[in-house]
Amino acid sequence: MISRILIANRGEIAVRIIRAAKELGLKTVLAHSKADRDSLAAKLADETVCIGPPPAVESYLFYQNIISAALATKSDAIHPGYGFLAENWQFADACRAMKIRFIGPKSSVIRNMGDKSKAKTLVKESGVPVVPGSDGEIDSLQKALEVVERVGFPVIIKASAGGGGKGMRIVCEKKDVEKSFNSAAYEAQQAFGDSRVYIEKYIAAPKHIEVQILGDKHGNVLHLFERDCSIQRRHQKLIEEAPSPIIDNETRMKMGEIASKAAQSVGYDSAGTIEFLYDIETRQFYFIEMNTRIQVEHPITECITGIDLIKYQIRIADGDKLDFSQDKLKITGHAIECRINAEDPEKEFNPSPGKISQLIVPGGPGIRIDSGVYPGYSIPPFYDSMVAKLIVWGADRREAVDRMKRALDEFYIEGIKTTIPFHKEVMRNRIFLSGQYTTDFVGKIQNQGV
Ligand code: ADP
């Protein structure tokens, strides 16, 4: 039985895991870098242990230190959160070798799904629609040209080990294939230590729709409906909502069933997400990848289903069976999440770390804030720029949008620039309000002022 969880992460997700663990009556140990000694998570955990200097490679990514910290603090489980080691199968294996429960799926599944081109091949075999493109990775220019010839321009070259929108190149003409192929491979090598790339048809202006999955160790897999994550800049999400404003119920259930089937076919036994691109013209959807971890945007699914995903992750890792069935799940109301990043939206979302001199957070009905900061806190420059997530729930989309507008007006942060002004603009935007927005929406606001 799990009794003490070491949290191998930082920021808001570390706080979120501490909260779930405490409600389950479990002890928490926060593994933190020297830069995070004064973090909110460090104040809330039962115990803390320093795992190294500020750079992530020497602390949050240095898994030998993290495992030693778990053994030294007698932790019997590790929650990796998202990012850092969350999708590192060697880390999951190392935990198992030391008899520490890794709160996530089996390492073989992390490994297979972490290789995005392999994941596509695997799910395609179980009948899941995938974006047309290369079957597996492309190891020569010749092969790249053959695929391009077959699927037609535009195409997107993507890193097999990809994540965070890195290592992607959109190619519209034959003369650019070689240059883009080489630069995508180079960027992938720099970012992931793995230069392998694959090619997909580039779908012009799709919606990014993803389905939340929960599987247990007894062969049960359920889906918790979809999230619409189409508001992105540089292929990274900024605002998410659940359910999607434009997916009809029939499509919703079909996507859910396909996502469950894909997860079941790989023996999935934790919380995970199947990501699709949805073509709003043809209403076709295509698998792009599976994320084998909890996602940043998980709270909106929690708001509309009433399911605490982190608690289920922990209980499933402990061997518990899912105690509800698909037909018991239903969507209640509508939820929206705005990512509050320490960035300047007027300066191309450049990071804006610094000290939060004043902080007033919104409250009242239907508001949830998942944050890792407090007044007087200095945001370290070493990590991700997200400092808080503002999540609202409303009885319907209209109430959720009105509530988000009200909450953004109440949110007051002094000392740093944040994405709050951007979110306020989106909540008033007519394309956003129509629900018809696609992944090119942020670019359109910036370049065309739509
Ligand atoms: P990452 O793992 O780096 O996040 P994804 O494969 O999840 O990469 O894609 C991130 C985003 O990039 C998608 O949400 C979408 O906006 C865009 N994208 C990826 N593949 C395609 C494609 N084939 N056509 C159009 N847009 C794409």
Side-chain angles (χ1 to χ4, degrees), residues 116 120 131-132 155-156 158-159 161-168 170 192 198-209 229-230 232 234-237 275-277 288-289 291 293 439-440:
K116 291 168 60 166
K120 272 183 77 177
V131 186
V155 296
I156 182 166
K158 299 170 73 169
K166 291 199 189 84
M168 290 193 206
I170 299 160
F192 315 111
Y198 63 107
I199 296 181
E200 270 177 3
K201 175 88 189 159
Y202 182 70
I203 299 173
K207 259 188 181 293
H208 173 117
I209 305 285
C229 310
S230 309
Q232 312 176 344
R234 297 195 284 268
H235 305 299
Q236 283 188 303
K237 301 159 188 166
E275 296 191 334
F276 295 103
L277 293 181
I288 46 170
E289 67 164 335
N291 291 319
R293 54 168 156 83
T439 54
D440 57 348

mmCIF file of all heavy atoms in Angstrom, residues 116 120 131-132 155-156 158-159 161-168 170 192 198-209 229-230 232 234-237 275-277 288-289 291 293 439-440, ligand 1:
data_model
loop_
_atom_site.group_PDB
_atom_site.id
_atom_site.type_symbol
_atom_site.label_atom_id
_atom_site.label_comp_id
_atom_site.label_asym_id
_atom_site.label_seq_id
_atom_site.Cartn_x
_atom_site.Cartn_y
_atom_site.Cartn_z
ATOM 1 N N LYS A 116 6.596 8.926 -31.190
ATOM 2 C CA LYS A 116 5.326 9.330 -31.796
ATOM 3 C C LYS A 116 5.023 8.625 -33.111
ATOM 4 O O LYS A 116 3.862 8.332 -33.408
ATOM 5 C CB LYS A 116 5.294 10.854 -31.962
ATOM 6 C CG LYS A 116 5.216 11.542 -30.607
ATOM 7 C CD LYS A 116 5.466 13.017 -30.653
ATOM 8 C CE LYS A 116 4.494 13.754 -31.508
ATOM 9 N NZ LYS A 116 4.548 15.216 -31.279
ATOM 10 N N LYS A 120 1.817 5.971 -33.654
ATOM 11 C CA LYS A 120 0.841 6.069 -34.757
ATOM 12 C C LYS A 120 0.659 4.711 -35.430
ATOM 13 O O LYS A 120 -0.461 4.285 -35.693
ATOM 14 C CB LYS A 120 1.343 7.073 -35.812
ATOM 15 C CG LYS A 120 0.940 8.488 -35.536
ATOM 16 C CD LYS A 120 1.403 9.426 -36.629
ATOM 17 C CE LYS A 120 0.547 9.350 -37.888
ATOM 18 N NZ LYS A 120 0.967 10.326 -38.911
ATOM 19 N N VAL A 131 -3.312 10.683 -38.995
ATOM 20 C CA VAL A 131 -3.051 11.641 -40.073
ATOM 21 C C VAL A 131 -2.230 10.926 -41.150
ATOM 22 O O VAL A 131 -1.227 10.281 -40.822
ATOM 23 C CB VAL A 131 -2.250 12.869 -39.550
ATOM 24 C CG1 VAL A 131 -2.121 13.922 -40.648
ATOM 25 C CG2 VAL A 131 -2.893 13.472 -38.329
ATOM 26 N N PRO A 132 -2.610 11.019 -42.429
ATOM 27 C CA PRO A 132 -1.831 10.372 -43.476
ATOM 28 C C PRO A 132 -0.387 10.875 -43.458
ATOM 29 O O PRO A 132 -0.146 12.043 -43.157
ATOM 30 C CB PRO A 132 -2.522 10.800 -44.780
ATOM 31 C CG PRO A 132 -3.849 11.328 -44.373
ATOM 32 C CD PRO A 132 -3.761 11.761 -42.951
ATOM 33 N N VAL A 155 3.013 19.625 -45.969
ATOM 34 C CA VAL A 155 3.287 18.554 -45.011
ATOM 35 C C VAL A 155 3.922 19.166 -43.770
ATOM 36 O O VAL A 155 4.365 20.323 -43.792
ATOM 37 C CB VAL A 155 4.241 17.477 -45.581
ATOM 38 C CG1 VAL A 155 3.617 16.745 -46.754
ATOM 39 C CG2 VAL A 155 5.587 18.075 -45.955
ATOM 40 N N ILE A 156 3.958 18.375 -42.703
ATOM 41 C CA ILE A 156 4.651 18.830 -41.490
ATOM 42 C C ILE A 156 5.654 17.737 -41.115
ATOM 43 O O ILE A 156 5.316 16.553 -41.097
ATOM 44 C CB ILE A 156 3.645 19.186 -40.356
ATOM 45 C CG1 ILE A 156 4.352 19.702 -39.100
ATOM 46 C CG2 ILE A 156 2.725 18.040 -40.016
ATOM 47 C CD1 ILE A 156 3.412 20.382 -38.083
ATOM 48 N N LYS A 158 7.880 16.209 -38.264
ATOM 49 C CA LYS A 158 7.796 16.224 -36.801
ATOM 50 C C LYS A 158 8.830 15.294 -36.170
ATOM 51 O O LYS A 158 9.201 14.283 -36.765
ATOM 52 C CB LYS A 158 6.388 15.772 -36.362
ATOM 53 C CG LYS A 158 5.286 16.680 -36.881
ATOM 54 C CD LYS A 158 3.903 16.105 -36.668
ATOM 55 C CE LYS A 158 3.463 16.142 -35.225
ATOM 56 N NZ LYS A 158 2.002 15.803 -35.106
ATOM 57 N N ALA A 159 9.237 15.630 -34.957
ATOM 58 C CA ALA A 159 10.225 14.809 -34.252
ATOM 59 C C ALA A 159 9.540 13.598 -33.628
ATOM 60 O O ALA A 159 8.519 13.742 -32.959
ATOM 61 C CB ALA A 159 10.891 15.642 -33.161
ATOM 62 N N ALA A 161 10.555 11.926 -31.147
ATOM 63 C CA ALA A 161 10.630 12.053 -29.684
ATOM 64 C C ALA A 161 9.994 13.358 -29.218
ATOM 65 O O ALA A 161 10.163 13.761 -28.076
ATOM 66 C CB ALA A 161 12.093 12.004 -29.254
ATOM 67 N N GLY A 162 9.226 14.005 -30.108
ATOM 68 C CA GLY A 162 8.774 15.384 -29.885
ATOM 69 C C GLY A 162 7.943 15.660 -28.657
ATOM 70 O O GLY A 162 7.430 14.757 -28.000
ATOM 71 N N GLY A 163 7.796 16.931 -28.376
ATOM 72 C CA GLY A 163 7.014 17.425 -27.250
ATOM 73 C C GLY A 163 7.180 18.932 -27.207
ATOM 74 O O GLY A 163 8.188 19.455 -27.714
ATOM 75 N N GLY A 164 6.172 19.613 -26.658
ATOM 76 C CA GLY A 164 6.264 21.067 -26.510
ATOM 77 C C GLY A 164 6.385 21.810 -27.825
ATOM 78 O O GLY A 164 6.900 22.921 -27.877
ATOM 79 N N GLY A 165 5.903 21.183 -28.902
ATOM 80 C CA GLY A 165 5.913 21.858 -30.205
ATOM 81 C C GLY A 165 7.298 21.993 -30.837
ATOM 82 O O GLY A 165 7.448 22.684 -31.839
ATOM 83 N N LYS A 166 8.307 21.306 -30.263
ATOM 84 C CA LYS A 166 9.669 21.451 -30.817
ATOM 85 C C LYS A 166 9.943 20.454 -31.951
ATOM 86 O O LYS A 166 9.387 19.363 -31.971
ATOM 87 C CB LYS A 166 10.705 21.238 -29.714
ATOM 88 C CG LYS A 166 10.704 22.333 -28.696
ATOM 89 C CD LYS A 166 12.013 22.350 -27.904
ATOM 90 C CE LYS A 166 11.912 23.297 -26.748
ATOM 91 N NZ LYS A 166 11.267 22.682 -25.563
ATOM 92 N N GLY A 167 10.834 20.855 -32.850
ATOM 93 C CA GLY A 167 11.259 19.968 -33.944
ATOM 94 C C GLY A 167 10.198 19.815 -35.022
ATOM 95 O O GLY A 167 10.129 18.764 -35.665
ATOM 96 N N MET A 168 9.353 20.823 -35.222
ATOM 97 C CA MET A 168 8.324 20.729 -36.274
ATOM 98 C C MET A 168 8.620 21.734 -37.369
ATOM 99 O O MET A 168 9.004 22.871 -37.086
ATOM 100 C CB MET A 168 6.957 21.078 -35.711
ATOM 101 C CG MET A 168 6.413 20.064 -34.776
ATOM 102 S SD MET A 168 4.667 20.437 -34.531
ATOM 103 C CE MET A 168 4.430 19.747 -32.944
ATOM 104 N N ILE A 170 6.785 23.100 -41.116
ATOM 105 C CA ILE A 170 5.731 23.000 -42.129
ATOM 106 C C ILE A 170 6.392 23.255 -43.484
ATOM 107 O O ILE A 170 7.178 24.200 -43.627
ATOM 108 C CB ILE A 170 4.620 24.036 -41.858
ATOM 109 C CG1 ILE A 170 3.990 23.759 -40.489
ATOM 110 C CG2 ILE A 170 3.556 24.019 -42.957
ATOM 111 C CD1 ILE A 170 3.253 24.918 -39.891
ATOM 112 N N PHE A 192 15.895 16.783 -27.809
ATOM 113 C CA PHE A 192 15.553 15.473 -27.222
ATOM 114 C C PHE A 192 16.700 14.456 -27.279
ATOM 115 O O PHE A 192 16.537 13.312 -26.867
ATOM 116 C CB PHE A 192 14.331 14.866 -27.940
ATOM 117 C CG PHE A 192 13.214 15.853 -28.157
ATOM 118 C CD1 PHE A 192 12.886 16.295 -29.433
ATOM 119 C CD2 PHE A 192 12.500 16.353 -27.081
ATOM 120 C CE1 PHE A 192 11.872 17.213 -29.641
ATOM 121 C CE2 PHE A 192 11.484 17.281 -27.273
ATOM 122 C CZ PHE A 192 11.166 17.719 -28.550
ATOM 123 N N TYR A 198 9.472 12.204 -38.626
ATOM 124 C CA TYR A 198 8.501 11.567 -39.510
ATOM 125 C C TYR A 198 7.680 12.657 -40.191
ATOM 126 O O TYR A 198 7.809 13.841 -39.834
ATOM 127 C CB TYR A 198 7.621 10.561 -38.750
ATOM 128 C CG TYR A 198 6.757 11.146 -37.660
ATOM 129 C CD1 TYR A 198 5.371 11.272 -37.809
ATOM 130 C CD2 TYR A 198 7.314 11.571 -36.455
ATOM 131 C CE1 TYR A 198 4.569 11.805 -36.804
ATOM 132 C CE2 TYR A 198 6.523 12.108 -35.449
ATOM 133 C CZ TYR A 198 5.150 12.218 -35.629
ATOM 134 O OH TYR A 198 4.377 12.745 -34.635
ATOM 135 N N ILE A 199 6.885 12.272 -41.176
ATOM 136 C CA ILE A 199 6.151 13.278 -41.955
ATOM 137 C C ILE A 199 4.654 13.022 -41.888
ATOM 138 O O ILE A 199 4.207 11.871 -41.928
ATOM 139 C CB ILE A 199 6.634 13.262 -43.428
ATOM 140 C CG1 ILE A 199 8.111 13.679 -43.498
ATOM 141 C CG2 ILE A 199 5.779 14.192 -44.305
ATOM 142 C CD1 ILE A 199 8.691 13.730 -44.896
ATOM 143 N N GLU A 200 3.903 14.119 -41.774
ATOM 144 C CA GLU A 200 2.436 14.039 -41.799
ATOM 145 C C GLU A 200 1.898 15.050 -42.781
ATOM 146 O O GLU A 200 2.511 16.104 -42.987
ATOM 147 C CB GLU A 200 1.873 14.431 -40.414
ATOM 148 C CG GLU A 200 1.725 13.303 -39.479
ATOM 149 C CD GLU A 200 1.247 13.734 -38.095
ATOM 150 O OE1 GLU A 200 0.970 14.918 -37.851
ATOM 151 O OE2 GLU A 200 1.154 12.840 -37.253
ATOM 152 N N LYS A 201 0.751 14.763 -43.319
ATOM 153 C CA LYS A 201 0.023 15.771 -44.083
ATOM 154 C C LYS A 201 -0.254 16.925 -43.114
ATOM 155 O O LYS A 201 -0.628 16.701 -41.963
ATOM 156 C CB LYS A 201 -1.299 15.142 -44.553
ATOM 157 C CG LYS A 201 -2.209 16.095 -45.260
ATOM 158 C CD LYS A 201 -1.890 16.135 -46.725
ATOM 159 C CE LYS A 201 -2.640 17.239 -47.429
ATOM 160 N NZ LYS A 201 -1.997 17.619 -48.693
ATOM 161 N N TYR A 202 -0.042 18.149 -43.548
ATOM 162 C CA TYR A 202 -0.345 19.291 -42.684
ATOM 163 C C TYR A 202 -1.807 19.648 -42.882
ATOM 164 O O TYR A 202 -2.231 19.989 -43.992
ATOM 165 C CB TYR A 202 0.557 20.483 -43.031
ATOM 166 C CG TYR A 202 0.302 21.664 -42.138
ATOM 167 C CD1 TYR A 202 0.671 21.637 -40.797
ATOM 168 C CD2 TYR A 202 -0.327 22.801 -42.625
ATOM 169 C CE1 TYR A 202 0.427 22.710 -39.961
ATOM 170 C CE2 TYR A 202 -0.576 23.883 -41.792
ATOM 171 C CZ TYR A 202 -0.203 23.829 -40.463
ATOM 172 O OH TYR A 202 -0.452 24.894 -39.635
ATOM 173 N N ILE A 203 -2.572 19.521 -41.822
ATOM 174 C CA ILE A 203 -4.001 19.831 -41.922
ATOM 175 C C ILE A 203 -4.171 21.322 -41.640
ATOM 176 O O ILE A 203 -3.808 21.803 -40.564
ATOM 177 C CB ILE A 203 -4.808 18.975 -40.928
ATOM 178 C CG1 ILE A 203 -4.584 17.500 -41.284
ATOM 179 C CG2 ILE A 203 -6.290 19.326 -40.956
ATOM 180 C CD1 ILE A 203 -5.161 16.531 -40.315
ATOM 181 N N ALA A 204 -4.698 22.045 -42.629
ATOM 182 C CA ALA A 204 -4.812 23.494 -42.466
ATOM 183 C C ALA A 204 -5.875 23.790 -41.413
ATOM 184 O O ALA A 204 -7.004 23.298 -41.500
ATOM 185 C CB ALA A 204 -5.194 24.138 -43.788
ATOM 186 N N ALA A 205 -5.478 24.569 -40.404
ATOM 187 C CA ALA A 205 -6.404 25.064 -39.392
ATOM 188 C C ALA A 205 -7.370 24.016 -38.832
ATOM 189 O O ALA A 205 -8.578 24.121 -38.996
ATOM 190 C CB ALA A 205 -7.184 26.243 -39.971
ATOM 191 N N PRO A 206 -6.837 22.987 -38.163
ATOM 192 C CA PRO A 206 -7.729 22.023 -37.504
ATOM 193 C C PRO A 206 -8.059 22.484 -36.088
ATOM 194 O O PRO A 206 -7.513 23.479 -35.609
ATOM 195 C CB PRO A 206 -6.863 20.770 -37.428
ATOM 196 C CG PRO A 206 -5.475 21.317 -37.241
ATOM 197 C CD PRO A 206 -5.418 22.641 -37.967
ATOM 198 N N LYS A 207 -8.920 21.747 -35.423
ATOM 199 C CA LYS A 207 -9.061 21.912 -33.993
ATOM 200 C C LYS A 207 -8.209 20.842 -33.323
ATOM 201 O O LYS A 207 -8.060 19.739 -33.864
ATOM 202 C CB LYS A 207 -10.528 21.732 -33.581
ATOM 203 C CG LYS A 207 -11.231 23.049 -33.334
ATOM 204 C CD LYS A 207 -12.592 22.829 -32.753
ATOM 205 C CE LYS A 207 -13.347 24.111 -32.518
ATOM 206 N NZ LYS A 207 -12.823 25.006 -31.492
ATOM 207 N N HIS A 208 -7.623 21.182 -32.182
ATOM 208 C CA HIS A 208 -6.919 20.174 -31.385
ATOM 209 C C HIS A 208 -7.921 19.685 -30.338
ATOM 210 O O HIS A 208 -8.311 20.440 -29.449
ATOM 211 C CB HIS A 208 -5.690 20.803 -30.712
ATOM 212 C CG HIS A 208 -4.999 19.880 -29.753
ATOM 213 N ND1 HIS A 208 -3.701 19.443 -29.929
ATOM 214 C CD2 HIS A 208 -5.425 19.300 -28.608
ATOM 215 C CE1 HIS A 208 -3.371 18.631 -28.933
ATOM 216 N NE2 HIS A 208 -4.404 18.538 -28.107
ATOM 217 N N ILE A 209 -8.348 18.440 -30.512
ATOM 218 C CA ILE A 209 -9.316 17.866 -29.571
ATOM 219 C C ILE A 209 -8.661 16.646 -28.930
ATOM 220 O O ILE A 209 -8.139 15.781 -29.639
ATOM 221 C CB ILE A 209 -10.607 17.409 -30.298
ATOM 222 C CG1 ILE A 209 -11.229 18.559 -31.104
ATOM 223 C CG2 ILE A 209 -11.610 16.804 -29.307
ATOM 224 C CD1 ILE A 209 -11.953 19.613 -30.311
ATOM 225 N N CYS A 229 -8.418 22.161 -27.177
ATOM 226 C CA CYS A 229 -7.171 22.860 -26.815
ATOM 227 C C CYS A 229 -6.604 23.565 -28.040
ATOM 228 O O CYS A 229 -5.406 23.537 -28.301
ATOM 229 C CB CYS A 229 -6.145 21.880 -26.277
ATOM 230 S SG CYS A 229 -6.771 20.805 -24.987
ATOM 231 N N SER A 230 -7.461 24.202 -28.811
ATOM 232 C CA SER A 230 -7.029 24.770 -30.088
ATOM 233 C C SER A 230 -6.403 26.149 -29.947
ATOM 234 O O SER A 230 -5.853 26.665 -30.913
ATOM 235 C CB SER A 230 -8.226 24.849 -31.042
ATOM 236 O OG SER A 230 -8.878 23.600 -31.098
ATOM 237 N N GLN A 232 -3.572 28.034 -29.162
ATOM 238 C CA GLN A 232 -2.151 27.733 -28.945
ATOM 239 C C GLN A 232 -1.288 28.830 -29.566
ATOM 240 O O GLN A 232 -1.689 29.449 -30.540
ATOM 241 C CB GLN A 232 -1.771 26.437 -29.666
ATOM 242 C CG GLN A 232 -2.687 25.273 -29.459
ATOM 243 C CD GLN A 232 -2.266 24.053 -30.298
ATOM 244 O OE1 GLN A 232 -1.481 24.157 -31.232
ATOM 245 N NE2 GLN A 232 -2.808 22.891 -29.942
ATOM 246 N N ARG A 234 2.813 28.995 -30.859
ATOM 247 C CA ARG A 234 3.968 28.135 -31.112
ATOM 248 C C ARG A 234 3.658 26.677 -30.734
ATOM 249 O O ARG A 234 4.401 26.012 -30.035
ATOM 250 C CB ARG A 234 5.197 28.635 -30.346
ATOM 251 C CG ARG A 234 5.652 30.025 -30.784
ATOM 252 C CD ARG A 234 7.056 30.338 -30.274
ATOM 253 N NE ARG A 234 7.106 30.661 -28.869
ATOM 254 C CZ ARG A 234 7.020 31.899 -28.373
ATOM 255 N NH1 ARG A 234 6.897 32.928 -29.189
ATOM 256 N NH2 ARG A 234 7.094 32.113 -27.082
ATOM 257 N N HIS A 235 2.488 26.205 -31.155
ATOM 258 C CA HIS A 235 2.023 24.835 -30.902
ATOM 259 C C HIS A 235 1.908 24.495 -29.416
ATOM 260 O O HIS A 235 1.912 23.332 -29.040
ATOM 261 C CB HIS A 235 2.913 23.793 -31.600
ATOM 262 C CG HIS A 235 3.061 24.033 -33.066
ATOM 263 N ND1 HIS A 235 1.987 24.034 -33.931
ATOM 264 C CD2 HIS A 235 4.142 24.276 -33.827
ATOM 265 C CE1 HIS A 235 2.417 24.278 -35.152
ATOM 266 N NE2 HIS A 235 3.714 24.438 -35.125
ATOM 267 N N GLN A 236 1.816 25.505 -28.554
ATOM 268 C CA GLN A 236 1.614 25.234 -27.124
ATOM 269 C C GLN A 236 0.307 25.853 -26.669
ATOM 270 O O GLN A 236 -0.030 26.980 -27.038
ATOM 271 C CB GLN A 236 2.773 25.803 -26.309
ATOM 272 C CG GLN A 236 4.003 24.925 -26.403
ATOM 273 C CD GLN A 236 5.073 25.389 -25.442
ATOM 274 O OE1 GLN A 236 5.503 26.542 -25.502
ATOM 275 N NE2 GLN A 236 5.488 24.520 -24.571
ATOM 276 N N LYS A 237 -0.395 25.109 -25.809
ATOM 277 C CA LYS A 237 -1.745 25.527 -25.428
ATOM 278 C C LYS A 237 -1.752 26.725 -24.480
ATOM 279 O O LYS A 237 -0.888 26.833 -23.614
ATOM 280 C CB LYS A 237 -2.441 24.339 -24.742
ATOM 281 C CG LYS A 237 -2.522 23.120 -25.641
ATOM 282 C CD LYS A 237 -2.726 21.828 -24.853
ATOM 283 C CE LYS A 237 -2.616 20.622 -25.760
ATOM 284 N NZ LYS A 237 -2.482 19.360 -25.027
ATOM 285 N N GLU A 275 -4.617 12.449 -28.216
ATOM 286 C CA GLU A 275 -4.796 13.723 -28.925
ATOM 287 C C GLU A 275 -5.182 13.485 -30.379
ATOM 288 O O GLU A 275 -4.596 12.635 -31.056
ATOM 289 C CB GLU A 275 -3.504 14.545 -28.870
ATOM 290 C CG GLU A 275 -3.124 14.948 -27.451
ATOM 291 C CD GLU A 275 -1.996 15.976 -27.387
ATOM 292 O OE1 GLU A 275 -1.173 16.055 -28.317
ATOM 293 O OE2 GLU A 275 -1.933 16.693 -26.378
ATOM 294 N N PHE A 276 -6.164 14.273 -30.830
ATOM 295 C CA PHE A 276 -6.613 14.197 -32.222
ATOM 296 C C PHE A 276 -6.565 15.580 -32.857
ATOM 297 O O PHE A 276 -6.712 16.597 -32.172
ATOM 298 C CB PHE A 276 -8.085 13.760 -32.296
ATOM 299 C CG PHE A 276 -8.375 12.373 -31.796
ATOM 300 C CD1 PHE A 276 -8.956 12.184 -30.546
ATOM 301 C CD2 PHE A 276 -8.105 11.254 -32.588
ATOM 302 C CE1 PHE A 276 -9.264 10.906 -30.085
ATOM 303 C CE2 PHE A 276 -8.414 9.977 -32.138
ATOM 304 C CZ PHE A 276 -8.996 9.803 -30.892
ATOM 305 N N LEU A 277 -6.425 15.604 -34.180
ATOM 306 C CA LEU A 277 -6.703 16.827 -34.926
ATOM 307 C C LEU A 277 -8.070 16.621 -35.551
ATOM 308 O O LEU A 277 -8.354 15.544 -36.085
ATOM 309 C CB LEU A 277 -5.645 17.072 -36.009
ATOM 310 C CG LEU A 277 -4.244 17.384 -35.485
ATOM 311 C CD1 LEU A 277 -3.289 17.640 -36.646
ATOM 312 C CD2 LEU A 277 -4.244 18.582 -34.536
ATOM 313 N N ILE A 288 -3.027 12.059 -33.307
ATOM 314 C CA ILE A 288 -1.646 12.535 -33.490
ATOM 315 C C ILE A 288 -0.690 11.971 -32.452
ATOM 316 O O ILE A 288 0.431 11.639 -32.763
ATOM 317 C CB ILE A 288 -1.480 14.072 -33.582
ATOM 318 C CG1 ILE A 288 -2.273 14.820 -32.513
ATOM 319 C CG2 ILE A 288 -1.732 14.580 -34.984
ATOM 320 C CD1 ILE A 288 -1.911 16.313 -32.439
ATOM 321 N N GLU A 289 -1.143 11.855 -31.198
ATOM 322 C CA GLU A 289 -0.241 11.252 -30.216
ATOM 323 C C GLU A 289 -0.987 10.904 -28.935
ATOM 324 O O GLU A 289 -2.113 11.347 -28.715
ATOM 325 C CB GLU A 289 0.935 12.183 -29.891
ATOM 326 C CG GLU A 289 0.557 13.454 -29.164
ATOM 327 C CD GLU A 289 1.767 14.150 -28.532
ATOM 328 O OE1 GLU A 289 2.774 13.486 -28.233
ATOM 329 O OE2 GLU A 289 1.675 15.365 -28.309
ATOM 330 N N ASN A 291 -0.392 11.063 -24.754
ATOM 331 C CA ASN A 291 0.447 11.522 -23.644
ATOM 332 C C ASN A 291 0.201 10.617 -22.450
ATOM 333 O O ASN A 291 -0.930 10.487 -21.988
ATOM 334 C CB ASN A 291 0.140 12.981 -23.301
ATOM 335 C CG ASN A 291 0.602 13.907 -24.402
ATOM 336 O OD1 ASN A 291 1.683 13.713 -24.960
ATOM 337 N ND2 ASN A 291 -0.202 14.887 -24.745
ATOM 338 N N ARG A 293 0.688 10.668 -19.282
ATOM 339 C CA ARG A 293 0.865 11.357 -17.992
ATOM 340 C C ARG A 293 -0.382 12.198 -17.730
ATOM 341 O O ARG A 293 -1.254 12.290 -18.579
ATOM 342 C CB ARG A 293 2.059 12.303 -18.093
ATOM 343 C CG ARG A 293 1.877 13.243 -19.282
ATOM 344 C CD ARG A 293 2.832 14.386 -19.317
ATOM 345 N NE ARG A 293 3.027 14.912 -20.638
ATOM 346 C CZ ARG A 293 2.243 15.791 -21.264
ATOM 347 N NH1 ARG A 293 1.160 16.248 -20.660
ATOM 348 N NH2 ARG A 293 2.490 16.207 -22.482
ATOM 349 N N THR A 439 -6.524 26.052 -34.630
ATOM 350 C CA THR A 439 -5.175 26.228 -34.047
ATOM 351 C C THR A 439 -4.425 27.465 -34.579
ATOM 352 O O THR A 439 -3.397 27.828 -34.033
ATOM 353 C CB THR A 439 -4.302 24.983 -34.293
ATOM 354 O OG1 THR A 439 -4.315 24.709 -35.701
ATOM 355 C CG2 THR A 439 -4.823 23.772 -33.544
ATOM 356 N N ASP A 440 -4.943 28.098 -35.631
ATOM 357 C CA ASP A 440 -4.294 29.307 -36.149
ATOM 358 C C ASP A 440 -4.877 30.592 -35.523
ATOM 359 O O ASP A 440 -4.532 31.694 -35.933
ATOM 360 C CB ASP A 440 -4.435 29.372 -37.680
ATOM 361 C CG ASP A 440 -5.896 29.320 -38.129
ATOM 362 O OD1 ASP A 440 -6.771 29.000 -37.287
ATOM 363 O OD2 ASP A 440 -6.169 29.588 -39.304
HETATM 364 P P1 ADP B 1 3.902 18.075 -29.344
HETATM 365 O O1 ADP B 1 4.063 16.674 -28.834
HETATM 366 O O2 ADP B 1 5.207 18.754 -29.636
HETATM 367 O O3 ADP B 1 2.964 18.894 -28.510
HETATM 368 P P2 ADP B 1 1.774 17.405 -31.256
HETATM 369 O O4 ADP B 1 1.942 16.299 -32.224
HETATM 370 O O5 ADP B 1 0.910 17.148 -30.056
HETATM 371 O O6 ADP B 1 3.221 17.921 -30.793
HETATM 372 O O7 ADP B 1 1.228 18.703 -32.011
HETATM 373 C C1 ADP B 1 1.138 19.967 -31.373
HETATM 374 C C2 ADP B 1 0.336 20.912 -32.227
HETATM 375 O O8 ADP B 1 0.953 21.091 -33.516
HETATM 376 C C3 ADP B 1 -1.082 20.432 -32.548
HETATM 377 O O9 ADP B 1 -1.991 20.734 -31.523
HETATM 378 C C4 ADP B 1 -1.361 21.229 -33.821
HETATM 379 O O10 ADP B 1 -1.678 22.565 -33.529
HETATM 380 C C5 ADP B 1 -0.019 21.202 -34.540
HETATM 381 N N1 ADP B 1 0.066 20.035 -35.456
HETATM 382 C C6 ADP B 1 0.693 18.849 -35.213
HETATM 383 N N2 ADP B 1 0.561 18.004 -36.272
HETATM 384 C C7 ADP B 1 -0.162 18.659 -37.207
HETATM 385 C C8 ADP B 1 -0.655 18.323 -38.527
HETATM 386 N N3 ADP B 1 -0.405 17.128 -39.093
HETATM 387 N N4 ADP B 1 -1.388 19.259 -39.177
HETATM 388 C C9 ADP B 1 -1.645 20.470 -38.630
HETATM 389 N N5 ADP B 1 -1.216 20.855 -37.410
HETATM 390 C C10 ADP B 1 -0.478 19.966 -36.695
#
